[in-house]
């Protein structure tokens, strides 16, 4: 494997079970533990200055648009995906899903500090069969089980889409919506019991809830309502640049050159309006009990003007990866530290949908085995009005190759 790193170090020694309250705490911890930052102590950057002069899609689809770059996906793009799926004929269509468990079945630790896996429990099952007052069996003898989540369920705690209003800088979200819309109240006629933060000590309290707050604009319902389908490609940078396990080093920053070189090595064309998935090997590291894993010290994309302009010129509607933030969490650019600058450049300015915490293990192995890195990508996030993100289980239909074709 080629040995070179693009280091934008961040985060180390974090208690994965700890709860950090607020992005400010996350940023402070990431910056303070960055070797480059600790030595030089650069100032926090200004995204307005960094991204000034770079392209935006504000107003491109009207002043009231909330779908962003998903507007690029039409009939032609869905057709291109269908063609990719059936290119090997009717006997060679494989199906993959990309979602990690939402209840932490594979590991009890959260992938990101504070966003712990949810827990569900049965509210009705065979234990209630014949019990006085039980609703089972029903007339005629039908029995059933039912369940509900019994802990907080973080919408971005597993494989998910970011809503376009999830992250911003200054006072405006994507397409110019004011930041005040992120705290839009909804009042319900009947209160239900739910969980609220306690006294600032990280605890939660059970309390009647009749008012909630959410995104009043650019929430996840735009993506949920339209859905996503098109030609997807996997850029397996982990296998191209990583170790024998196909994992990038923790301090690796993925550049535009890395993406293009990986596509060239895989012999896959990147076309306009493709849905681009990037494999780093982070999920394997997170699920490996013998490996050192830190959500703020993952490999990921790093900012450059060239990368942002390339995404814009290629009209990429969706980009996703198998890590927590798509990009390196803390990045030192020209001696100045920034936290997730590509969220500002891509999500806020270009209106691109970001997919995070994808499980690319099975898909990556299949692509490496048969050399086919294009497929039909389909997905839709959970429809949660006001949501800053939505869990999703993308379904991939990929053409394989016969044994004769692989020789």
């Amino acid at each position: 494997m080629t040995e070179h790193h693009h280091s934008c170090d961040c985060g180390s020694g974090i208690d994965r079970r700890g709860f950090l309250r607020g992005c400010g705490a996350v940023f402070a911890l990431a910056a303070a533990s960055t070797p480059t930052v600790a030595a030089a102590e650069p100032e926090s950057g200004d995204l307005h200055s960094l991204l000034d002069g770079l392209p935006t899609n504000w107003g491109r689809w009207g002043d009231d648009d909330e779908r962003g770059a998903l507007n690029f996906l039409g009939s032609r793009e869905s057709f291109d995906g269908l063609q990719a799926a059936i290119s090997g004929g009717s006997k060679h269509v494989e199906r993959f899903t990309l979602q990690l468990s939402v209840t932490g079945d594979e590991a009890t630790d959260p992938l990101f500090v504070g966003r712990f896996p949810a827990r569900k429990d049965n509210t009705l099952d065979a234990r209630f069969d014949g019990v006085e007052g039980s609703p089972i069996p029903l007339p005629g003898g039908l029995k059933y089980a039912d369940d509900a989540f019994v802990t907080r369920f973080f919408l971005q705690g597993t494989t998910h889409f970011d809503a376009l209003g999830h992250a911003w800088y200054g006072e405006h979200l994507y397409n110019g919506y004011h930041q005040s819309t992120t705290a839009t109240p909804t009042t319900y006629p009947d209160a239900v019991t739910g969980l609220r933060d306690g006294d600032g000590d990280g605890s939660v309290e059970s309390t009647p809830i009749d008012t909630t707050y959410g995104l009043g604009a650019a929430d996840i319902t735009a993506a949920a309502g339209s859905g996503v389908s098109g030609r997807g490609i996997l850029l397996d940078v982990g296998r191209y640049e990583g170790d024998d396990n196909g994992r990038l080093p923790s301090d690796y920053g993925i550049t535009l050159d890395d993406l293009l070189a990986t596509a060239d090595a895989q012999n896959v064309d990147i076309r306009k309006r493709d849905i681009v998935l990037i494999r780093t090997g982070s999920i394997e590291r997170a699920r490996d009990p013998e490996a050192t894993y830190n959500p703020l010290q993952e490999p990921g994309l790093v900012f450059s003007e060239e990368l942002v302009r390339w995404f814009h010129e290629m009209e990429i509607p969706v980009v996703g990866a198998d890590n927590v933030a798509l990009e390196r969490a803390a990045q030192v650019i020209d001696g100045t530290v920034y936290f997730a600058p590509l969220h500002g450049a891509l999500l806020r300015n270009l209106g691109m949908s970001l997919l995070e915490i994808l499980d690319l293990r099975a898909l990556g192995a299949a692509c490496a085995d048969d050399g086919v890195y294009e497929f039909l990508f389909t997905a839709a996030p959970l429809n949660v009005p006001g949501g800053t993100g939505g869990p999703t289980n993308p379904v991939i239909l990929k053409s394989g190759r016969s044994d004769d074709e692989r020789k």
Side-chain angles (χ1 to χ4, degrees):
M1 296 290 180
T2 303
E3 299 247 351
H4 71 273
H5 299 181
H6 307 284
S7 181
C8 286
D9 297 326
C10 67
S12 62
I14 298 174
D15 178 3
R16 292 169 62 190
R17 293 182 174 85
F19 190 95
L20 294 179
R21 298 181 59 81
C23 291
V26 174
F27 172 81
L29 188 54
S33 57
T34 300
T36 304
V37 175
E41 295 185 357
E43 296 182 357
S44 174
D46 173 31
L47 282 177
H48 271 296
S49 298
L50 180 70
L51 304 181
D52 183 43
L54 290 179
T56 80
N57 282 326
W58 289 20
R60 185 169 184 166
W61 299 285
D63 293 340
D64 60 350
D65 177 63
E66 299 181 47
R67 293 177 60 196
L70 292 182
N71 285 288
F72 288 133
L73 295 176
S75 178
R76 177 63 200 214
E77 289 69 38
S78 294
F79 181 75
D80 289 344
L82 290 168
Q83 282 192 311
I86 64 174
S87 61
S90 62
K91 296 182 179 180
H92 299 290
V93 179
E94 300 174 289
R95 183 172 63 248
F96 301 88
T97 60
L98 308 183
Q99 185 180 35
L100 286 179
S101 166
V102 300
T103 57
D105 293 339
E106 294 184 79
T108 57
D109 290 337
L111 288 172
F112 187 72
V113 178
R115 295 178 184 170
F116 48 80
R119 297 287 180 269
K120 62 153 289 293
D121 200 7
N122 279 4
T123 58
L124 194 66
D125 54 35
R127 294 171 297 174
F128 297 84
D129 185 13
V131 175
E132 185 177 356
S134 170
I136 61 172
L138 294 168
L142 184 70
K143 304 172 185 179
Y144 68 101
D146 209 354
D147 51 16
F149 282 101
V150 293
T151 65
R152 282 185 163 187
F153 177 31
F154 287 88
L155 296 180
Q156 300 184 41
T158 183
T159 310
H160 67 276
F161 277 85
D162 281 351
L164 297 188
H166 166 56
W168 72 97
Y169 59 90
E171 296 184 351
H172 295 90
L173 324 177
Y174 165 73
N175 214 28
Y177 291 106
H178 195 267
Q179 66 178 5
S180 60
T181 60
T182 65
T184 300
T186 299
T187 299
Y188 302 90
D190 299 312
V192 298
T193 301
L195 300 175
R196 293 283 197 199
D197 287 336
D199 297 325
D201 57 358
S203 65
V204 293
E205 299 175 350
S206 178
T207 184
I209 294 175
D210 61 6
T211 300
T212 61
Y213 292 85
L215 302 185
D219 70 352
I220 200 60
T221 60
S226 65
V228 177
S229 66
R231 178 181 184 259
I233 61 168
L234 175 67
L235 299 180
D236 198 339
V237 186
R239 277 188 172 83
Y240 177 65
E241 296 282 6
D243 59 19
D244 291 340
N245 293 318
R247 304 174 190 173
L248 293 175
S250 295
D251 63 349
Y252 198 99
I254 300 171
T255 67
L256 176 58
D257 286 344
D258 287 323
L259 298 182
L260 299 179
T262 299
D264 186 60
Q266 296 175 173
N267 196 30
V268 61
D269 294 329
I270 307 176
R271 304 174 189 169
K272 267 196 168 186
R273 303 189 178 185
D274 274 347
I275 296 162
V276 177
L277 308 183
I278 302 167
R279 183 185 166 276
T280 70
S282 280
I283 290 299
E284 289 89 333
R285 180 178 287 114
R287 295 311 194 205
D288 182 353
E290 304 300 321
T292 299
Y293 170 77
N294 189 317
L296 294 177
Q297 196 180 35
E298 287 185 305
L301 289 173
V302 288
F303 170 84
S304 72
E305 292 188 4
E306 294 76 17
L307 179 66
V308 175
R309 294 187 187 280
W310 180 80
F311 276 123
H312 180 252
E313 291 165 4
M314 293 294 289
E315 298 181 343
I316 302 299
V318 180
V319 60
D322 60 345
N323 55 14
V324 167
L326 176 70
E327 60 184 307
R328 292 280 294 162
Q331 301 180 34
V332 178
I333 304 169
D334 296 330
T336 303
V337 66
Y338 298 83
F339 191 86
L342 286 173
H343 275 61
L346 304 183
L347 191 74
R348 176 196 187 262
N349 291 350
L350 295 184
M352 288 174 55
S353 287
L354 307 186
L355 263 171
E356 296 163 341
I357 320 182
L358 291 170
D359 186 354
L360 298 175
R361 290 175 290 185
L363 178 63
C367 291
D369 180 53
D370 60 27
V372 178
Y373 289 86
E374 64 170 356
F375 39 80
L376 170 65
F377 177 97
T378 61
L382 196 65
N383 193 338
V384 183
T388 68
T392 186
N393 188 14
V395 177
I396 303 296
L397 295 181
K398 187 183 92 68
S399 174
R401 287 179 178 161
S402 67
D403 291 338
D404 290 339
E405 290 175 312
R406 298 181 197 187
K407 292 179 181 178

